[in-house]
C-alpha cells in the first residue's frame, strides 16, 4: 500500500514532448500530456466511449484525441467533441493534480483538492545555476520499500558496487541513524581512505588529485512519500571532510525519486546534482553514465529479492543495525498511511516479522 495524498515524480518533461504518455502510478492508470498553453494535464487513461487507453491517441491544439474513434477530451476530463456524435452526456474521467517544476512532472494520485504545490519536495539546486544535474529512469519490479531499504543502507555498495563506489571501509564505519519528524537520516563518515574509482573520476573532474587519501561521507535522507536524497562526497584527507572548502572536495547529492507503479514495481528516477564544474557537460555525461551503471547493478538484486519474498511469503527477515534507516523509514510511511487510510502498509509483500539485533 502506498500514500496517495503526496506528490510523486511522474515523468520528465521530454517524455510528454508532443505526445501523450500513459503511466501507472500508485495503481492509477494515468495519461499525461501538455494541454492548452502547454500546462501539464493528467487524466484517467480511459476513454469514456469504449475504454481505450487515451495515451494511445494524440494531442491536437492542447486537446487529447482518443486514437480509437477520435473522441476529443478537454483538460477538465470532460469529452469536448467526437466526429458525428453529441458528447454532452458523456461521463467525465478523473482529473489528477499535476504540475511541472524542478525539471520534473509531478502528480498527486490521491484527492486533488488536497494537492498543495507548497507540499512539493523542495529542490533548491534545481533552480540554481551553480549546480548541474544529470539523471535517468529505470523500471524495476520490486516493492518501493525495498528500494528505500537499499538506499538507506549503503553497506551494500561494498558488494553490489565493488568496482565503482564500494570499498571495505564502508563495512568498517558503522552508520548512525536518527529520525526527526517525518525525516530519517542515516550517515556514515570514513577517514583517510583511498577514493574508489567513481570518486577518483569525480575528483579529476573537479581538477583535484585522485591518488591521495580522502575523507568520505554518505548522508542518506528519507522523506515521505518515498524520496531519498543522499549527500555524498570525498575531500582530500585532513581538510575538514564534509566541511572541507570547495577547492578540496568533490561532493554531490544523489537524487532518488521512487514512484510506485504497483505493489511490486516502481518507476525509479535517479540522478546526481553537483555544485562543482556545473558547466562541464562532458563531466555531467560521464557521471550520469557511471551512475546509470551503478544503479543497474541494484536492479537485478532488487528484482530477485522481490521474487524470493513473493515465493516465500511466510519467511521471516532480520533487522540488523545496518537496516535501521529502512526500518525507521517504513515506520514513518506506516504512521502516515494510518493517518491517510486508517491502516499501515502491512506485511503482505515484504514480510518483516522476526527481529534480531546485531551486536
Ligand atoms: S474508445 Fe475512444 S473514441 Fe472510441
Ligand atoms: Fe546501490
Amino acid at each position: 500500500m502506498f500514500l496517495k495524498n503526496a506528490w510523486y515524480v511522474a515523468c520528465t518533461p521530454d517524455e510528454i514532448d508532443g505526445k501523450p504518455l500513459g503511466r501507472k502510478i500508485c495503481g492509477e492508470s494515468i495519461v499525461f500530456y501538455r494541454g492548452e498553453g502547454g500546462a501539464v494535464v493528467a487524466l484517467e487513461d480511459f476513454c469514456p466511449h469504449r475504454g481505450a487507453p487515451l495515451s494511445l491517441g494524440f494531442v491536437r491544439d492542447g486537446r487529447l484525441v482518443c486514437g480509437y474513434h477520435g473522441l476529443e477530451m478537454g483538460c477538465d476530463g470532460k469529452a469536448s467533441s467526437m466526429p458525428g456524435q453529441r458528447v454532452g452526456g458523456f461521463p467525465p474521467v478523473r482529473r489528477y493534480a499535476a504540475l511541472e517544476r524542478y525539471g520534473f512532472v509531478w502528480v498527486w494520485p490521491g484527492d486533488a483538492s488536497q494537492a498543495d504545490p507548497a507540499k512539493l519536495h523542495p529542490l533548491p539546486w534545481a533552480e540554481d545555476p551553480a549546480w548541474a544535474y544529470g539523471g535517468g529512469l529505470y523500471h524495476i519490479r520490486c516493492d518501493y520499500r525495498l528500494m528505500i531499504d537499499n538506499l538507506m543502507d549503503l553497506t551494500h555498495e561494498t558488494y553490489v558496487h565493488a568496482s565503482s563506489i564500494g570499498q571495505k571501509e564502508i563495512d568498517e564505519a558503522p552508520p548512525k541513524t536518527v529520525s526527526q519528524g517525518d525525516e530519517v537520516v542515516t550517515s556514515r563518515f570514513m577517514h583517510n581512505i583511498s577514493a574508489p574509482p567513481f570518486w577518483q573520476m569525480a575528483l579529476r573532474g573537479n581538477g583535484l588529485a585522485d591518488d591521495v587519501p580522502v575523507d568520505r561521507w554518505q548522508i542518506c535522507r528519507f522523506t515521505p512519500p518515498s524520496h531519498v536524497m543522499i549527500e555524498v562526497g570525498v575531500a582530500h584527507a585532513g581538510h575538514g571532510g564534509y566541511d572541507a572548502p570547495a577547492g578540496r572536495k568533490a561532493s554531490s547529492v544523489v537524487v532518488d525519486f521512487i514512484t510506485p507503479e504497483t505493489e511490486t514495481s516502481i518507476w525509479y528516477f535517479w540522478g546526481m546534482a553537483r555544485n562543482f564544474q556545473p558547466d562541464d557537460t562532458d563531466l555531467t555525461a560521464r557521471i550520469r553514465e557511471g551512475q546509470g551503471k551503478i544503479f543497474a547493478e541494484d536492479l537485478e538484486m532488487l528484482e530477485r529479492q522481490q521474487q524470493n519474498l513473493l515465493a516465500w511469503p511466510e519467511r521471516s527477515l532480520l533487522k540488523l543495525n545496518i537496516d535501521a534507516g529502512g526500518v525507521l523509514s517504513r515506520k514513518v510511511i506506516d504512521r502516515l498511511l494510518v493517518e491517510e487510510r486508517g491502516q499501515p502498509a502491512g506485511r503482505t509483500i515484504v514480510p518483516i516479522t522476526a527481529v534480531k539485533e546485531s551486536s
Side-chain angles (χ1 to χ4, degrees), residues 36-55:
E36 284 151 33
V40 173
V41 180
L43 301 178
E44 255 179 318
D45 196 6
F46 185 95
C47 177
H49 174 220
R50 302 294 295 166
L54 290 166
S55 54

Side-chain angles (χ1 to χ4, degrees), residues 83-95:
Q85 308 293 334
R86 292 155 70 115
V87 300
F90 284 19
V93 299
R94 182 171 170 192
R95 179 176 183 170

